[in-house]
Amino acid sequence: MVVRVGVSSGVRNEQSETLDPFKRANTMCGIIGIVGNQNVAGQLYDGLTVLQHRGQDAAGIATVDGNRIHIHKGNGLAKDVFDEASMRLLVGRIGIAHCRYPTAGSEGSAEAQPFYVNSPYGIALAHNGNLINAEALRCEIFEQDRRNINTESDSEVLLNVFAHELGLQRTLVPASAVRAVAGVHKRCRGGYAVVSLVLGLGLVAFRDPHGIRPLVLGKREHNEGTEYMVASESVALDILGFQRVRDLSPGEAVVITSRGELFSEICAPPVERAPCIFEYVYFARPDSMIDNVSVHKARMRMGMKLGDKILRLRPDHDIDTIIPIPDTSRDAALEISNVLGVKYREGFIKNRYVGRTFIMPGQSERDKSVRRKLNPIPLEFRNRVVLLVDDSIVRGTTSRQIVQMARDAGARKVYLASAAPPVRYPNIYGIDMPSANELIAHGRTVEEIGQQLGCDWLVYQDIEDLEAAVREGNPELTRFDSSCFDGDYVTGIESGYFDRLGQSRSDEAKLKRRAL
């Protein structure tokens, strides 16, 4: 089901949309913005295909054509949402794109992005992250700003805050947009990276004051002038031939006008920088650079440090084979193999047409998905002591299934190593981790977790080693958002927040929404 919005004096919607009665939030997504010298829709589509790992629930593109904003969006992968006819409608040399999956599980196309408001000027916006004060803002927007929110998405909340702040400015110039972003930073709390289109101005992109969610700037020289691009990950720049210039600084706003002029300013009071460390552990592609750190190299260093820990704990280990749980653990597993001097083998074949399992609602659904997703190669397990390596362990459902697969394939003993520390707390800045009581590590010792998973030995990365592995790539990163490991939330948390979060993220809540 696809929504098209044409913009001139008003909005045309090709379907009626009903609101889900349950609160939802935006989550881990991919965003792109381009100011080019020719139609950019095809480039935005290509960029989405390499950011598809960041979200498979919905996709959308918005472009500016003179005084019109064209939007096409819908549920599913980019290849399913866009066809030749829809791409022909997306005319314009300035545009933004978005792919997402939802933290609390929307299945209606009303939540697909970009979102649009026609006042002031006409604004389209796409957002990666999560606002932790969205409910308070929703009331403010209605009662004080006199604006209406049509969905339960915090991205629409953020759009209306930005629109209101921009409407307070007397003129529409880059400095006006920067002041509007400064107003957003004052009112919004959480992790967010944003790309937006403003009719009569151009592209406006910004990043939260702590730099929790990533956003990178690139440029490309063209015969007709310099073209600019912003994206969640540098790999999107690479595929389109843009040179990576730099990451946006925390609290920074970048304005690229329709004439190709770039303006930037940090417009939030200085606070501690804390990029999300889970980007390096799991979410980002290994060929991306985030905050001047190679994700590939960071994962290699995670493996080296975990290998050193294994040697300290078990210098006389009996491990025969190191086997990664594909795909994101391969870099770490190979380095563990090098440190231990034990052969590395591919022991699982992955079905690449099954989505990420830790976001799937319902135990039975996740169980079936794991079986469909991975199949063991028995000769790599038979009569061997194997060390399985994963990037992290969240609910433990997948890990438990994989440990049993290894046993069924003939392993004599099954050890399990996690390149990340125990996930004991929910992530509230844009990653769909469940409520705390559904996390396997919450309230359990490592030994108890190992018993739950059914492995013969379980070893986790130490948080100090994880952070050091990333920091080695950029010593200026003195702090990370490691809240899902240590419970230290850089923005602070209001009373009752986790109770509400648990109600919306639990399996029971997700299954109720799916039944509606």
Side-chain angles (χ1 to χ4, degrees), residues 411-430:
R412 189 155 45 89
K413 292 182 184 177
V414 181
Y415 302 152
L416 179 61
S418 169
V423 177
R424 300 188 187 278
Y425 307 92
N427 183 289
I428 64 172
Y429 300 124

Side-chain angles (χ1 to χ4, degrees), residues 6 88 124 173 229 267 364 379 406 423 426 458 495:
R88 281 200 303 266
V173 295
M229 178 175 177
C267 53
S364 62
L379 63 87
V423 177
L458 173 64
S495 175

Side-chain angles (χ1 to χ4, degrees), residues 279-293:
E279 291 277 358
Y280 302 95
V281 170
Y282 176 72
F283 252 100
R285 277 181 42 150
D287 45 346
S288 284
M289 297 280 293
I290 295 179
D291 284 314
N292 281 329
V293 177

Side-chain angles (χ1 to χ4, degrees), residues 226-270:
T226 302
E227 299 175 305
Y228 290 99
M229 178 175 177
V230 291
S232 295
E233 294 184 35
S234 62
V235 65
L237 307 180
D238 298 339
I239 195 172
L240 294 174
F242 281 79
Q243 175 188 357
R244 186 177 68 92
V245 176
R246 61 180 176 84
D247 297 272
L248 267 67
S249 297
E252 183 179 13
V254 168
V255 181
I256 307 167
T257 70
S258 57
R259 295 185 298 274
E261 304 162 314
L262 185 145
F263 301 85
S264 67
E265 184 178 333
I266 296 175
C267 53

Side-chain angles (χ1 to χ4, degrees), residues 360-370 395-398 400-401 438 507 511:
M360 294 190 69
Q363 180 78 26
S364 62
E365 283 298 309
R366 282 191 295 274
D367 288 351
K368 288 187 291 185
S369 181
V370 173
R395 285 184 173 93
T397 306
T398 301
R400 187 183 302 113
Q401 291 282 314
E438 294 176 4
D507 276 348
L511 289 170

Side-chain angles (χ1 to χ4, degrees), residues 31-35 39-51 60-64 78 82 87 90 92-98 195 197 203 228-230 236 239-240:
I31 59 174
I32 305 168
I34 299 177
V35 177
N39 285 345
V40 296
Q43 299 172 68
L44 291 167
Y45 174 84
D46 288 342
L48 284 181
T49 63
V50 296
L51 295 183
I61 292 176
T63 59
V64 172
F82 301 100
M87 294 299 289
L90 293 168
R93 58 184 184 82
I94 305 173
I96 60 176
H98 184 270
V195 290
L197 302 176
L203 175 72
Y228 290 99
M229 178 175 177
V230 291
I239 195 172
L240 294 174

Side-chain angles (χ1 to χ4, degrees), residues 177-324:
V178 171
R179 288 192 293 269
V181 173
V184 172
H185 290 326
K186 288 179 183 177
R187 297 177 64 180
C188 296
R189 293 174 57 205
Y192 51 90
V194 173
V195 290
S196 64
L197 302 176
V198 180
L199 280 179
L201 182 61
L203 175 72
V204 180
F206 53 95
R207 192 178 182 192
D208 68 83
H210 292 282
I212 297 172
R213 299 266 65 89
L215 198 59
V216 61
L217 171 69
K219 70 176 182 179
R220 181 175 65 188
E221 298 301 333
H222 192 274
N223 292 337
E224 299 176 25
T226 302
E227 299 175 305
Y228 290 99
M229 178 175 177
V230 291
S232 295
E233 294 184 35
S234 62
V235 65
L237 307 180
D238 298 339
I239 195 172
L240 294 174
F242 281 79
Q243 175 188 357
R244 186 177 68 92
V245 176
R246 61 180 176 84
D247 297 272
L248 267 67
S249 297
E252 183 179 13
V254 168
V255 181
I256 307 167
T257 70
S258 57
R259 295 185 298 274
E261 304 162 314
L262 185 145
F263 301 85
S264 67
E265 184 178 333
I266 296 175
C267 53
V271 292
E272 196 166 17
R273 183 177 192 163
C276 176
I277 205 161
F278 214 72
E279 291 277 358
Y280 302 95
V281 170
Y282 176 72
F283 252 100
R285 277 181 42 150
D287 45 346
S288 284
M289 297 280 293
I290 295 179
D291 284 314
N292 281 329
V293 177
S294 163
V295 175
H296 169 64
K297 294 295 287 291
R299 290 175 181 167
M300 290 175 65
R301 290 189 291 266
M302 293 175 202
M304 288 186 281
K305 292 182 180 297
L306 188 52
D308 288 339
K309 180 177 181 179
I310 291 170
L311 281 181
R312 290 195 308 271
L313 295 177
R314 296 200 172 185
D316 299 322
H317 67 81
D318 56 350
I319 301 168
D320 296 316
T321 309
I322 310 290
I323 294 178

